[in-house]
Amino acid sequence: MGTTQLDSVQEPKYWHLRTVLSEALDSEFSVGEILPNERDLAARFGVARATLRQALEQLELEGRLQRRRGVGTTVAPPRVGVAVGGEQHSWPGAAGDAWQAVDCAQEIPAAAVAAALETGADEPVHTVRRSRMSGGQLVATELLHIPAASVPGLTAIDAPSGAARARAVLRELHRLDLEGQDRAVELGSARADDARELDRLPGSPVLVVTTRFTVEGRTAALSVATYRADTCRLTFGDSAGVEIHHDPARRAS
Amino acid sequence: MGTTQLDSVQEPKYWHLRTVLSEALDSEFSVGEILPNERDLAARFGVARATLRQALEQLELEGRLQRRRGVGTTVAPPRVGVAVGGEQHSWPGAAGDAWQAVDCAQEIPAAAVAAALETGADEPVHTVRRSRMSGGQLVATELLHIPAASVPGLTAIDAPSGAARARAVLRELHRLDLEGQDRAVELGSARADDARELDRLPGSPVLVVTTRFTVEGRTAALSVATYRADTCRLTFGDSAGVEIHHDPARRAS
DNA sequence: CAGTGGTCTAGACCACCGT
DNA sequence: CGGTGGTCTAGACCACTGA
């Protein structure tokens, strides 16, 4: 056959495009550089803009690109490793913790939260909001649910509300003897409020880390943390975590 | 104003649609049930099919729906919790391990793998392929890279290739004293081969779990495991992991 | 084979950003 | 304001599934 290779076995255009762009990013662009706009790129590759966008979406999902409305598409830096607690258990808000308390409210939890807390459906719960910075950027938000029964020493006088109140709740929590913790990670999509905080669009992919803290066999606190999936690599274990970044030498198909 | 509420502040149609569908799934559908086809649904909601699809994509990402070409869209069961190793370190392939060896090849690793292994770029490496089932379904594939230098006792006679060879490599690995392990989790998109194995389309979102096993301060093995993000919830820690499933009572916006 | 979801097009308009 | 990415449309065709 004279032809080196026809597109052969029905690879979707957007997938092929993703591969081509990916290689171009490796060889011809550096971190932070701005790509041509979508209309130009689409024209250059002879596809509709929607198809080009499908390829860009893939690359954004993989953390290779960053797109911002009104600005443009830039080459993303490698994902930041974000430590998510290792071997030893510790309470949220302990020394050296990367989180920052934002505020706190006492409320009746949603049914699913109450179920996970193993409390009655109408038992009051303190909900502490925290956020986490990394490299000058907000990378995660957290809702920390603590049954009021877990922190009986807390008085309304400690602080009425706001960050001070949140810290007071955490202080009370630290008086308990942490017995163990379970953790789960799954893919989710950012709710509108989280999206706004994380500077993403609603529905953006996020990694949801759910942690249950147990004291005397009961659930004393429940954390639901939402990490930007595009920029974060969650690391567990002793040290900084493995780095395998995008591999230029590996073919995608 | 007579109108109870106009769509108000510019919520995208697909996002609103996602919410409406999500609530419909809670109240009017049960797991495994087949939804009307996309053309009908789009017509019913008075939107273009592409817009409807954008909403369905969100719900699929969240693990609420499952779509299969030529078949239809069904309501997905809750995600399965998949244990990803807890506190105690252990070698891959140890007793009780959920993985199944598929085959093994000795090859020169890609640059990124060699870098993570901290070996020379042209040092030979055994690459064991394994797969993991859960609930009768393949939920993950793994590439386990082991520098030939890590398992010097391995002879070519043990087994030429295939699953037997893979098991022989693991056996040799178990002779080493595991010192520690790091783990990282990040979002990725399925490469064409993984996608085929996992019964997904190329580019489907996956959770990539990278684990480095260390012996005497050096990296003795490196595992890159790819989990279906739609069906899996990765659990860490002592017990079965926290379950917070979709919460009908919580508004999405 | 008919019906499904997956891909692709060519256009339009909108929301947002920086100048 | 002009330029960017984000949303949306109405259509077409394709690949796959199951009867």
Side-chain angles (χ1 to χ4, degrees):
Chain A
M1 302 257 294
T3 61
T4 51
Q5 68 146 353
L6 221 58
D7 261 1
S8 66
V9 288
Q10 285 303 114
E11 190 176 50
K13 264 188 197 176
Y14 78 91
W15 186 255
H16 182 244
L17 202 49
R18 184 209 81 110
T19 306
V20 171
L21 285 169
S22 178
E23 287 164 2
L25 290 183
D26 293 326
S27 57
E28 297 166 35
F29 289 86
S30 50
V31 169
E33 200 167 340
I34 304 181
L35 266 62
N37 73 51
E38 298 182 347
R39 291 162 179 86
D40 285 355
L41 275 179
R44 182 172 317 184
F45 287 105
V47 300
R49 190 177 156 221
T51 305
L52 185 270
R53 276 180 62 79
Q54 217 174 335
L56 293 184
E57 254 150 50
Q58 285 288 332
L59 292 167
E60 195 180 29
L61 194 81
E62 295 167 30
R64 310 275 324 272
L65 289 181
Q66 200 160 340
R67 300 193 285 174
R68 277 189 303 163
R69 167 154 50 179
V71 180
T73 302
T74 57
V75 180
R79 287 190 173 132
V80 277
V82 181
V84 181
E87 306 302 303
Q88 79 292 1
H89 303 156
S90 70
W91 283 118
D97 177 308
W99 294 87
Q100 191 168 347
V102 174
D103 63 16
C104 178
Q106 176 164 334
E107 52 188 27
I108 304 301
V113 171
L117 283 172
E118 300 162 340
T119 67
D122 49 2
E123 223 181 297
V125 166
H126 301 289
T127 297
V128 174
R129 287 206 310 129
R130 301 197 300 166
S131 59
R132 179 168 182 165
M133 307 281 296
S134 176
Q137 259 227 322
L138 191 64
V139 295
T141 67
E142 182 201 40
L143 291 179
L144 182 59
H145 305 282
I146 300 164
S150 290
V151 287
L154 187 74
T155 67
I157 305 140
D158 283 344
S161 66
R165 174 69 171 178
R167 284 190 292 270
V169 171
L170 291 178
R171 257 196 314 277
E172 281 303 307
L173 193 62
H174 295 172
R175 302 164 68 92
L176 303 179
D177 239 11
L178 180 57
E179 215 173 71
Q181 62 190 41
D182 294 329
R183 199 171 263 128
V185 177
E186 63 188 310
L187 180 60
S189 61
R191 297 192 322 277
D193 51 349
D194 287 333
R196 197 167 34 251
E197 268 200 281
L198 296 173
D199 188 29
R200 302 262 64 202
L201 295 170
S204 306
V206 291
L207 296 171
V208 180
V209 180
T210 312
T211 311
R212 179 170 52 196
F213 300 90
T214 55
V215 168
E216 292 171 10
R218 297 186 64 260
T219 302
L222 181 75
S223 156
V224 180
T226 300
Y227 290 82
R228 284 182 61 149
D230 55 344
T231 58
C232 293
R233 194 179 74 254
L234 308 182
T235 67
F236 300 80
D238 325 306
S239 76
V242 203
E243 285 207 28
I244 287 211
H245 289 131
H246 158 69
D247 179 354
R250 184 94 166 275
R251 275 299 165 281
S253 82
Chain B
M1 302 254 292
T3 60
T4 51
Q5 69 148 351
L6 221 58
D7 260 3
S8 67
V9 289
Q10 285 305 117
E11 189 177 50
K13 265 189 197 176
Y14 77 90
W15 186 256
H16 181 244
L17 202 49
R18 184 210 81 110
T19 307
V20 171
L21 284 169
S22 179
E23 286 165 2
L25 290 183
D26 292 327
S27 57
E28 298 166 35
F29 289 87
S30 50
V31 168
E33 200 167 340
I34 305 180
L35 265 63
N37 73 51
E38 297 184 349
R39 290 161 180 87
D40 284 355
L41 276 180
R44 182 172 319 184
F45 286 105
V47 299
R49 191 178 155 217
T51 305
L52 184 270
R53 277 180 61 79
Q54 218 174 336
L56 294 184
E57 253 150 51
Q58 285 289 333
L59 291 168
E60 194 180 26
L61 194 81
E62 296 168 28
R64 310 275 324 273
L65 289 181
Q66 200 159 341
R67 301 194 284 174
R68 278 189 302 161
R69 168 152 50 178
V71 179
T73 302
T74 57
V75 181
R79 285 190 174 133
V80 275
V82 181
V84 182
E87 305 302 303
Q88 80 291 1
H89 302 155
S90 70
W91 284 118
D97 177 307
W99 294 87
Q100 191 168 347
V102 174
D103 64 16
C104 178
Q106 177 162 334
E107 53 189 26
I108 304 301
V113 171
L117 284 170
E118 300 161 339
T119 65
D122 49 3
E123 222 181 297
V125 166
H126 300 289
T127 297
V128 174
R129 287 205 309 129
R130 301 197 300 166
S131 59
R132 179 168 182 165
M133 307 280 298
S134 177
Q137 260 228 321
L138 192 65
V139 294
T141 67
E142 182 200 40
L143 290 179
L144 182 58
H145 304 282
I146 301 163
S150 290
V151 286
L154 188 73
T155 66
I157 305 139
D158 282 344
S161 67
R165 175 69 171 179
R167 285 190 293 270
V169 172
L170 291 178
R171 256 196 314 278
E172 282 303 308
L173 193 62
H174 295 172
R175 302 165 68 92
L176 304 178
D177 240 10
L178 180 56
E179 214 173 70
Q181 63 190 42
D182 294 329
R183 199 171 265 130
V185 177
E186 63 188 309
L187 180 60
S189 62
R191 297 192 321 278
D193 51 351
D194 287 333
R196 197 167 34 254
E197 267 200 282
L198 296 173
D199 190 28
R200 303 263 62 201
L201 295 170
S204 306
V206 290
L207 296 170
V208 181
V209 181
T210 312
T211 311
R212 180 169 53 196
F213 299 89
T214 56
V215 168
E216 292 170 11
R218 297 187 64 259
T219 302
L222 181 75
S223 155
V224 181
T226 300
Y227 290 81
R228 284 182 61 150
D230 55 343
T231 58
C232 293
R233 193 179 76 254
L234 307 183
T235 67
F236 300 81
D238 325 306
S239 76
V242 204
E243 285 207 28
I244 287 208
H245 288 131
H246 158 68
D247 180 355
R250 185 95 165 275
R251 276 298 164 281
S253 83

